[in-house]
Amino acid sequence: MKNRLKTLVKKLSKKQIVAVSLAAVLIIGAIVYASVSLADGKDTVTYRETTVARGNLTVGVSESGSVDIGTITQTFDLDMSALSKVSTSNSESSSGGSGGSGFGGAMGGGMDMGGGASFGGGGSTGAFNQIFNMASGDNKTKNESNSKLVVAEICVSVGQTVSEGDVLYRLEEDGVSELTEELKSNVEKAEADLAALEADQEISKVSAQYNYDSAIAYKDFASTEKSSTIKSLEDSLETYKSGLKSAQKLVTLYKGRLAQAKSDLKVAEDAYNGAVWCRDNRDKRNDTAMYVYYAKEVESAKSVVSTLEQSVSQYESKLEQAENSVTNYNTQISKATRQLELGKISAEETYELRVLAYENAQETYDIALAYLEDDLKEQQEIYDEASQKWNEFVSYIDGTEVKSDYNGVITSVDLEEGDSLTTGATVVTLYDIDDVSMTVTIDEDNMTDIKVGSEANVSLIAYPDVIFTAVVSEISDATTDSSGNTTQDVTIVFTADVSGVYHGMTGEITFLTKDIEDVLYVSNRAIIRKGTKSYVKVKDNDGNIKTVEVVTGFSDGVNVEIKEGLFEGDTVLVESKVSK
């Protein structure tokens, strides 16, 4: 029975496919044939018994394809050349009183602070020299490591299935130990340098604070900003005033045209009424010519009245719009006037605040502190980098072991015993069992219900009794061949356990477009339809055949849902006639 159903599914697989759940299929009872002769002896009615079953009904689109398993390469991406970089900062940073350079040169005057620190002789760039000197003194050296990570043992082979965290290689302990000590030393030295710089910068901050009150004040764009703000508000007000004048002109224009149109309409209405009177007072039989003449005049006058009525309506609408524009412009002018007055006050306040800010030494002081902060930030980055490289190293090397980053099946082992593990070296190549997919081509007519994220079932020839679940991950753009057939490539990814699934296995994908679960169903061929009602034939306890009305529902093309009229396990007759 199961083989017959599988054959049926394969015959239908290129269009609408019926995929009935295996559990429901196995419930279908044995098939029994009986024959009854009709009274006239010409035809024979044959009945085949089938059983009302319970299960799932599913309809979809099926196509055949082959399994594709993504290949992934694990590389050793740790930057070996940068691991051993040692960066140090010179602890002899300059303070504000050394070297005779100071802020006084920029001020243009002299001020003897004692101790050899002179403010006055440094020239126009003295203030900035002082700042740069406070941030100077950084001295970095880079020492490249001669340490090597050498493969001591290979722990995997081609064809082996590995999981993330499984050991791939073991390295020689001496090389690992040497590099470990070097990295630890870098972290300790960078931490010590950072602490020394923090202490040294306290002196530089005192010097910056001491020169704070002597810095130059800058006045940049305060006055321009004030003028520009007020000018912008004034321009907005003038724009609204100009718009108001235009709107007022339109009001005057449309009022005149509306009055003229209404006057013309009154004349036309009078002409129309006169023509109607003349027409209605003519004898159709005795004065046919004049009757026809005035009838034409009525139609002509009526057309003129209609045209003028439209003109009156249009001018009324345009006048209303123009009057609304006047109202809106008046509102905007009032608003812009208030904004201008408030803007002048605000602009004046902003100007005064900016002048006050530039009259003190805030900017120069901030620059000095910014350089100090950058210097400290750089040393902090050196420490963070050393720590990061240590963390990177231990993430790549666990003790002396190099471990797998992925789940998959090994396809190549790229290192041998004695090889050095260098940056960018390929460790292993493997099939990625987290990326198992199939791609098939679907006719455009069958793509209506297939979208990214749609569910699908996969039946592989190698596992005929297993249904693998999947979802649509990608749909290509449509292409049309020379015969005019339009198709799209649809890719699905497996969401079920893919243990035992290998690259190149073939099978069939059924894209689920509709399904219902846990319903009663019977063969479509058992249904007898009369008008809007459906019936089936059943045998009673005495073996007599009787007709029972049923209510049907969803059909997958082979079976149909029974909503009312039958129960699970009932025997239903499928009727067929054989002519003699």
Side-chain angles (χ1 to χ4, degrees):
M1 182 65 179
K2 188 193 304 181
N3 291 335
R4 292 182 62 193
L5 288 171
K6 286 176 61 181
T7 301
L8 175 61
V9 171
K10 290 184 177 180
K11 287 181 179 180
L12 297 172
S13 63
K14 297 305 178 182
K15 295 296 180 183
Q16 289 299 100
I17 300 302
V18 178
V20 182
S21 67
L22 183 59
V25 171
L26 296 178
I27 298 176
I28 298 176
I31 300 174
V32 179
Y33 292 90
S35 297
V36 177
S37 297
L38 296 178
D40 59 6
K42 293 182 179 180
D43 293 330
T44 299
V45 177
T46 300
Y47 293 103
R48 177 170 60 89
E49 294 183 356
T50 185
T51 304
V52 178
R54 178 177 292 277
N56 303 337
L57 296 181
T58 302
V59 65
V61 176
S62 290
E63 287 291 345
S64 299
S66 59
V67 174
D68 181 54
I69 302 180
T71 300
I72 192 165
T73 300
Q74 179 171 331
T75 56
F76 188 72
D77 297 326
L78 189 62
D79 187 356
M80 294 294 292
S81 64
L83 276 179
S84 303
K85 181 177 71 173
V86 179
S87 300
T88 61
S89 60
N90 193 337
S91 59
E92 297 178 358
S93 70
S94 61
S95 61
S98 63
S101 113
F103 287 89
M107 298 169 58
M111 189 164 99
D112 187 3
M113 301 302 300
S118 174
F119 288 79
S124 61
T125 60
F128 293 102
N129 287 336
Q130 174 69 11
I131 295 169
F132 291 140
N133 287 337
M134 287 193 293
S136 66
D138 187 32
N139 180 24
K140 301 185 182 72
T141 61
K142 296 182 180 179
N143 298 323
E144 300 297 335
S145 173
N146 294 321
S147 301
K148 290 184 179 180
L149 300 178
V150 179
V151 176
E153 180 184 356
I154 301 172
C155 303
V156 290
S157 58
V158 173
Q160 180 177 337
T161 299
V162 296
S163 300
E164 182 179 352
D166 288 350
V167 178
L168 302 177
Y169 301 93
R170 288 188 174 86
L171 305 177
E172 291 183 358
E173 189 173 349
D174 290 346
V176 174
S177 298
E178 180 181 348
L179 193 51
T180 298
E181 291 301 319
E182 191 170 358
L183 291 174
K184 283 184 177 180
S185 175
N186 288 345
V187 173
E188 293 169 357
K189 180 169 181 55
E191 185 177 18
D193 288 344
L194 179 61
L197 181 62
E198 288 174 341
D200 183 66
Q201 284 200 349
E202 290 302 318
I203 300 174
S204 297
K205 287 179 180 179
V206 171
S207 177
Q209 182 66 44
Y210 182 83
N211 291 285
Y212 177 81
D213 295 329
S214 302
I216 296 177
Y218 294 97
K219 295 181 181 179
D220 288 347
F221 59 93
S223 178
T224 303
E225 180 186 43
K226 173 184 173 182
S227 300
S228 176
T229 300
I230 295 174
K231 180 66 167 54
S232 176
L233 294 171
E234 289 174 341
D235 288 346
S236 295
L237 179 58
E238 288 303 316
T239 299
Y240 292 133
K241 287 181 177 180
S242 176
L244 175 61
K245 290 180 181 178
S246 298
Q248 288 171 334
K249 288 180 180 179
L250 287 176
V251 168
T252 301
L253 174 64
Y254 291 138
K255 280 183 177 180
R257 290 185 178 179
L258 177 59
Q260 183 62 49
K262 286 182 176 180
S263 176
D264 293 343
L265 176 60
K266 180 64 172 60
V267 173
E269 288 173 341
D270 291 340
Y272 170 78
N273 292 331
V276 169
W277 185 90
C278 291
R279 179 197 64 187
D280 295 340
N281 286 278
R282 292 291 182 275
D283 190 328
K284 292 183 180 180
R285 293 186 178 183
N286 299 326
D287 195 4
T288 303
M290 292 306 295
Y291 181 89
V292 172
Y293 171 80
Y294 284 115
K296 291 181 178 179
E297 287 296 309
V298 168
E299 292 301 318
S300 177
K302 184 178 179 179
S303 176
V304 172
V305 169
S306 177
T307 300
L308 289 173
E309 284 177 342
Q310 291 179 5
S311 295
V312 168
S313 177
Q314 290 174 355
Y315 284 128
E316 286 176 341
S317 176
K318 290 181 178 180
L319 177 59
E320 182 181 1
Q321 292 176 2
E323 289 174 340
N324 289 337
S325 294
V326 170
T327 301
N328 290 336
Y329 277 121
N330 281 324
T331 301
Q332 294 295 335
I333 288 171
S334 298
K335 183 178 179 181
T337 301
R338 291 194 302 270
Q339 289 178 338
L340 176 59
E341 295 306 315
L342 294 174
K344 288 179 178 179
I345 296 173
S346 177
E348 182 64 29
E349 290 176 348
T350 301
Y351 173 79
E352 292 176 355
L353 288 173
R354 292 196 183 281
V355 170
L356 180 62
Y358 288 129
E359 286 177 344
N360 58 38
Q362 187 65 53
E363 186 173 355
T364 304
Y365 177 72
D366 288 344
I367 292 174
L369 292 187
Y371 277 114
L372 293 175
E373 183 178 347
D374 287 345
D375 202 19
L376 184 62
K377 180 180 179 181
E378 185 175 355
Q379 187 61 45
Q380 179 68 50
E381 288 174 351
I382 293 171
Y383 170 72
D384 292 342
E385 182 183 4
S387 299
Q388 178 185 354
K389 292 190 179 301
W390 164 251
N391 293 330
E392 287 177 355
F393 176 75
V394 297
S395 69
Y396 276 88
I397 309 297
D398 185 359
T400 60
E401 297 173 344
V402 178
K403 297 184 176 181
S404 175
D405 293 337
Y406 308 99
N407 304 317
V409 178
I410 301 291
T411 60
S412 70
V413 179
D414 295 272
L415 296 175
E416 299 179 356
E417 291 184 8
D419 285 350
S420 295
L421 196 57
T422 58
T423 302
T426 298
V427 179
V428 290
T429 305
L430 63 161
Y431 282 134
D432 184 5
I433 60 176
D434 293 329
D435 182 22
V436 181
S437 64
M438 293 176 70
T439 300
V440 293
T441 301
I442 306 292
D443 290 339
E444 184 180 40
D445 293 342
N446 294 328
M447 287 296 299
T448 304
D449 297 314
I450 301 177
K451 310 226 173 4
V452 172
S454 296
E455 295 181 352
N457 288 337
V458 181
S459 176
L460 298 177
I461 294 176
Y463 303 106
D465 297 328
V466 179
I467 297 297
F468 295 89
T469 58
V471 295
V472 176
S473 63
E474 184 178 352
I475 298 176
S476 73
D477 293 335
T479 58
T480 303
D481 61 20
S482 58
S483 301
N485 298 319
T486 302
T487 59
Q488 290 179 266
D489 291 339
V490 180
T491 300
I492 60 97
V493 292
F494 285 66
T495 56
D497 181 10
V498 291
S499 301
V501 176
Y502 297 99
H503 185 80
M505 281 186 172
T506 59
E508 192 168 65
I509 306 170
T510 298
F511 298 92
L512 308 184
T513 57
K514 184 176 181 181
D515 69 297
I516 56 175
E517 299 180 352
D518 193 27
V519 296
L520 293 178
Y521 64 87
V522 73
S523 171
N524 261 333
R525 299 182 61 189
I527 304 299
I528 303 169
R529 293 178 174 84
K530 295 181 180 180
T532 59
K533 295 185 177 182
S534 299
Y535 303 88
V536 295
K537 289 187 176 182
V538 299
K539 280 185 179 180
D540 61 17
N541 294 333
D542 297 328
N544 299 319
I545 297 175
K546 63 178 184 178
T547 301
V548 176
E549 183 178 352
V550 295
V551 178
T552 61
F554 173 74
S555 175
D556 61 14
V558 175
N559 298 296
V560 63
E561 176 189 6
I562 300 298
K563 293 184 174 181
E564 296 180 13
L566 295 173
F567 297 93
E568 184 177 357
D570 284 352
T571 300
V572 177
L573 302 179
V574 178
E575 179 182 289
S576 61
K577 293 181 181 180
V578 180
S579 298
K580 292 184 178 181

